[in-house]
Amino acid sequence: MSDTVQKSLSAQSWRDLILLAALWGGVFFSNRIALFEIGPITLVAHRTVWAALLLWCLAIFRKTSISLSPRLWMVFCVMGLLNNLIPFSLLNFAQLTVESGLASIFNAATAFFGILLAALFLPDERLTMTKTMGVALGFLGVATAIGFSHLTAFDPRSLAQIAALLATLSYGFAGIWARKHLTGVSPLIAAAGMLTCTAVIATPLAHYIEAPLTLSLGSATWAAITYGAVFGTAGAYLLYYRILASAGSGNLLVVTLLIPPFAIVLGALFLNESLPPRAFAGFLLLAIGLIVLDGRWLAKRGSTRDS
């Protein structure tokens, strides 16, 4: 992330970041509610079908130019797999066993995988000493949150936590793919296209692996699906790209720090979840790692020392 140290955040950008964190923090809560009735892949299918429809309607309403080549659809399909189908399914699977707040803490590892993968696959990215320190702290935080004893004991809870981590790895690959193939594509069309491809793949997959998709679901499940599709996916993507344009990709690292508090509080209030102390210790290490990656605090300390 070559632009990690960049623009100062305006008051509006802070409001947008907090809103985006609240939306995505709420997704962990809504997913847990929906998973009481439907399976992980079925939830992905519902979430992406309705979100894609909403975004295409918005594109038509805005009269957005839509020019889609077979190559671009292929790009959308790969992006849909890496950014939606694989990580959504893995996180949903994880939430069958681990707390929604803990899943959101693991989700913060996305930034660290993104840094490593960018250094491997993007020629303009270098793994500097500062980035190496930040990544090391981040992965130490992940290991702490999992619990060192669970790293060798592969019980269902351990497997669920590993699934959550693999989801963040998939997000990291999605970021590389987007950098290489989606530059210049309208954010609205890119989001609608990848969600459409995800829905087309996830719907038959859910049908054969879990159960035929049905609209006969409980009101709580529909409320959770509606939130996840409308606010946590379609609305969140639009807000994400607005922050990206106004504040830069480096500042979007901040949102990964802000998501877990929302997920943890919602899980504690409405799902009676409680996290072990190691989860909070791991989150603290993740936060320190992200601060090191961001670089502004260290740069400010250095300039103060030199003055």
Side-chain angles (χ1 to χ4, degrees), residues 299-307:
K300 188 180 295 184
R301 294 268 299 182
S303 63
T304 301
R305 197 179 302 119
D306 294 337
S307 61

Side-chain angles (χ1 to χ4, degrees), residues 112-134:
F112 304 101
F113 279 119
I115 292 290
L116 284 178
L117 293 173
L120 287 173
F121 295 104
L122 297 176
D124 61 333
E125 298 286 352
R126 292 184 306 109
L127 197 59
T128 63
M129 181 61 70
T130 299
K131 288 181 179 179
T132 302
M133 288 172 54

Side-chain angles (χ1 to χ4, degrees), residues 1-9 115 125 128 130-131 247-254 289-301 303:
M1 295 185 183
S2 55
D3 59 346
T4 298
V5 180
Q6 51 166 322
K7 308 173 186 177
S8 296
L9 284 168
I115 292 290
E125 298 286 352
T128 63
T130 299
K131 288 181 179 179
S249 60
N251 284 316
L252 275 165
L253 288 176
V254 177
L290 284 171
I291 290 170
V292 171
L293 284 180
D294 182 75
R296 278 173 291 194
W297 182 80
L298 292 175
K300 188 180 295 184
R301 294 268 299 182
S303 63

Side-chain angles (χ1 to χ4, degrees), residues 22-139:
L23 291 175
W24 276 340
V27 167
F28 288 93
F29 169 71
S30 67
N31 284 352
R32 179 60 266 185
I33 297 297
L35 288 168
F36 285 124
E37 185 173 2
I38 59 178
I41 304 175
T42 302
L43 177 54
V44 175
H46 272 294
R47 180 178 174 184
T48 55
V49 163
W50 307 120
L53 286 173
L54 181 60
L55 289 179
W56 284 121
C57 289
L58 182 60
I60 294 169
F61 175 77
R62 289 184 175 180
K63 298 180 180 179
T64 304
S65 176
I66 301 174
S67 179
L68 301 173
S69 65
R71 176 196 166 278
L72 193 55
W73 275 114
M74 184 276 292
V75 170
F76 287 157
C77 281
V78 175
M79 191 66 180
L81 285 170
L82 294 175
N83 202 60
N84 297 143
L85 181 60
I86 293 172
F88 287 3
S89 299
L90 287 170
L91 285 169
N92 290 346
F93 168 76
Q95 284 195 251
L96 292 174
T97 306
V98 303
E99 299 85 352
S100 54
L102 185 56
S104 73
I105 289 174
F106 290 130
N107 186 63
T110 298
F112 304 101
F113 279 119
I115 292 290
L116 284 178
L117 293 173
L120 287 173
F121 295 104
L122 297 176
D124 61 333
E125 298 286 352
R126 292 184 306 109
L127 197 59
T128 63
M129 181 61 70
T130 299
K131 288 181 179 179
T132 302
M133 288 172 54
V135 169
L137 283 166
F139 287 123

Side-chain angles (χ1 to χ4, degrees), residues 110-189:
T110 298
F112 304 101
F113 279 119
I115 292 290
L116 284 178
L117 293 173
L120 287 173
F121 295 104
L122 297 176
D124 61 333
E125 298 286 352
R126 292 184 306 109
L127 197 59
T128 63
M129 181 61 70
T130 299
K131 288 181 179 179
T132 302
M133 288 172 54
V135 169
L137 283 166
F139 287 123
L140 178 60
V142 167
T144 302
I146 291 176
F148 294 99
S149 62
H150 289 112
L151 292 173
T152 56
F154 289 99
D155 56 21
R157 186 174 177 85
S158 298
L159 291 174
Q161 293 177 103
I162 291 170
L165 280 179
L166 289 175
T168 67
L169 179 61
S170 187
Y171 280 134
F173 277 112
I176 301 300
W177 184 260
R179 284 276 299 273
K180 284 179 172 288
H181 300 286
L182 284 176
T183 302
V185 180
S186 160
L188 177 56
I189 299 303

